[in-house]
Amino acid sequence: MVSQIRFLMCAPDHYDVDYVINPWMEGNIHKSSRDRAVEQWNKLYNVIKNHAIVDLVAPEKGWPDMVFSANAGLVLGENVVLSRFLHKERQGEEPYFQQWFENNGFNVYTLPKDLPFEGAGDALLDREGRWLWAGYGFRSELDSHPYLAKWLDIEVISLRLMDERFYHLDTCFCPLANGYLLYYPGAFDSYSNRVIEMRVAPEKRIAIEEADAVNFACNAVNIESIVIMNKASDNLKSRLAEVGFQVIETPLTEFLKAGGAAKCLTLRVTEPIGEEIHANVSVESRVIRMEGHLLDAGLINRALDLIVEMGGSFQVLKFNLGEQRQSTSAAEVRVSAPSHDVMEEIISQLIDLGAVDLPQDERDSKLEPVVQAGVAPDDFYVSTIYPTEIRVNGEWLKVQNQRMDGAIAISQTPNGIVAKCKLLRDLEIGDRVVVDVLGIRTVRKAESREQRNSQEFSFMSSGVSSERRVELVVEQVAWELRKIKDSGGKVVVTAGPVVIHTGGGEHLSRLIREGYVQGLLGGNAIAVHDMEQNLLGTSLGVDMKRGVAVRGGHRHHLKIINTIRRFGSIAKAVEAGVVKSGVMYECVKNNIPFSLAGSIRDDGPLPDTQMNLILAQQEYSQIIQGADMILMLSSMLHSIGVGNMTPAGVRMVCVDINPAVVTKLSDRGSIESVGVVTDVGLFLSLLIQQLDKLTSPYVANVG
Ligand code: ARG
């Protein structure tokens, strides 16, 4: 029985693979057989004709892909949104398709130029007419979706394609009758998969394997209970049969060489309109402004890349290029996202790059009250290391206690409204917390190029060093330490036990003694092994002079712990004259505050070790308060913990033999952190030598 459903097809008279605009075409230029293509196309044509009416549009010479009539446009009722092809190779098809639609009484909408959209290849109606699924990511632009919604008066659900083999939505997604959906989840990003799962009940989803997907099983024509496709595995056929669909296979291998199959070769031109259905899009857009050394500092690339990577899209509305070396650039960018959630994620990252609203779009921050102590509202804005301001009652307010991974809480104090970064556990009922991403900006001074280049660490901003770079870092760090000391600044060291095992203990002791260190952070181990070495000459039982294990040495560190426990604290053991040298000794003698944070693997612990980790975090954050530089010496957890508490603007030097630790810490996206992959004992010894050079009086070397 032939239904009243109509399809538009275009005979393959001029079909060939002439160019490469998708991965299937690679290596296939002029490799398809005309005869076989004609034969396969005729077969498909006849199969469809048995079930529906087929209209034809005349093929045009020079437009080999015109056979893929799915890309003519998107039809709903008597309205058509004409395709705007992304590639110039296909743009010449547009007028022919337009002509056909107009001749056949359709109302044709055309998109603004430079806004690609490839018709029914990228937009598929739910077969119940409830909504339109629209793809983006390769051929169609997200910003075309609001036009579809408006012109066709239908809800549009945007899906992002991630796998370039499935560059059109119809290559991996096929809504079927009765609300079923045949699709290949691997072609979509996880957000889109979630959207699909929210709309289509599990028993209605027929997710296929890659093997079927690459045979274009989703590129199927569904006419009531019939599904026409190139090829399907037995398993897929039986799964479809179980839910009442009959698969008709018709080989289309010649067209696969151009990246198309059954669905691509047809355009359904009778698409019924659901009665109660109306326009609705979740696509949002927002205009942001950025200023600074957008090109030199790579800021604009980072911004645009992250928008796309996170599933959004952009249009650069203005770009004022600073022409002089010193001058800054300014850009206005329209950001689009498939939903508010995605928009929030994108904007929060753009805020870190310094993006702000246009003055006329500025809004107050959105605040929500804390209703359970220690728990933020769901949608809370997660703070970063960058100096942040939020807008309250039309005024920008500086956020205090800047640190990452907190919430921004507002409270009313006698001196007015105060905004603070707070850890989740510190939130109190009555605090109001910033949610969403409105009215938030980070403040960065656009330093001049010259300034940036003279910043101490700029020559090696981020990145991991080779041998020469170790020396360069040492020279720079020595210079900085010296400067900070002279100006009465503050240097904090985090250190792991490796400092002692590698023989760095004496050097670190000297740094403390000579006033280069104003705070020490570590765990139980650094203190234990430091005192073990100074009392017993071993570090974890290894003789530090000879480098060999001492008999019974594995008990040494327990003896030390026991001794210190007897005195009640490290300071008391120092006073009693039991500990006479070393890192801990120097701390006590020079009144350098230290904090030892405990862990599950600690022996003892020492009486000084803080086993309450919340208190330990508090002690740490007190000690780093006001630091100018933090030297992180081979202690992964303590260093990362410190990194999290430290606002931007504090110099960080991370020394570790493990490149992963160094990368993690020097990756703060700022010029102020530097990482060195090297032995920490060696590093400290070079550092001391360099400091000696800097501080010893200049002696002319005359021959
Ligand atoms: N070679 C064509 C292109 O890359 C194939 C189009 C397939 N059509 C489709 N609706 N998926 O544009």
Side-chain angles (χ1 to χ4, degrees), residues 24 40 43-44 47 182 211-221 227-233 236-237 247-257 260-265:
W24 304 91
Q40 293 183 340
K43 215 169 145 215
L44 174 70
V47 173
L182 178 68
D212 273 318
V214 295
N215 279 325
F216 272 58
C218 289
N219 199 250
V221 179
V227 187
I228 304 160
M229 63 175 78
N230 168 57
K231 197 173 153 63
S233 62
L236 178 56
K237 275 184 258 181
V247 173
I248 301 182
E249 288 176 276
T250 179
L252 292 162
T253 48
E254 292 313 306
F255 298 98
L256 248 64
K257 294 176 184 167
K263 163 65 176 56
C264 303
L265 292 165

Side-chain angles (χ1 to χ4, degrees), residues 19 21-22 25 65 68 70-71 85 87 90 118 120-122 139 167-171 216 219 255 258-261 263-265:
Y19 44 74
I21 55 171
N22 70 48
M25 299 173 102
D65 273 338
F68 298 114
N71 301 121
F85 286 96
H87 295 109
R90 294 199 64 183
E118 298 201 345
D122 260 337
R139 298 297 185 84
Y167 57 94
H168 275 143
L169 184 63
D170 69 359
T171 59
F216 272 58
N219 199 250
F255 298 98
K263 163 65 176 56
C264 303
L265 292 165

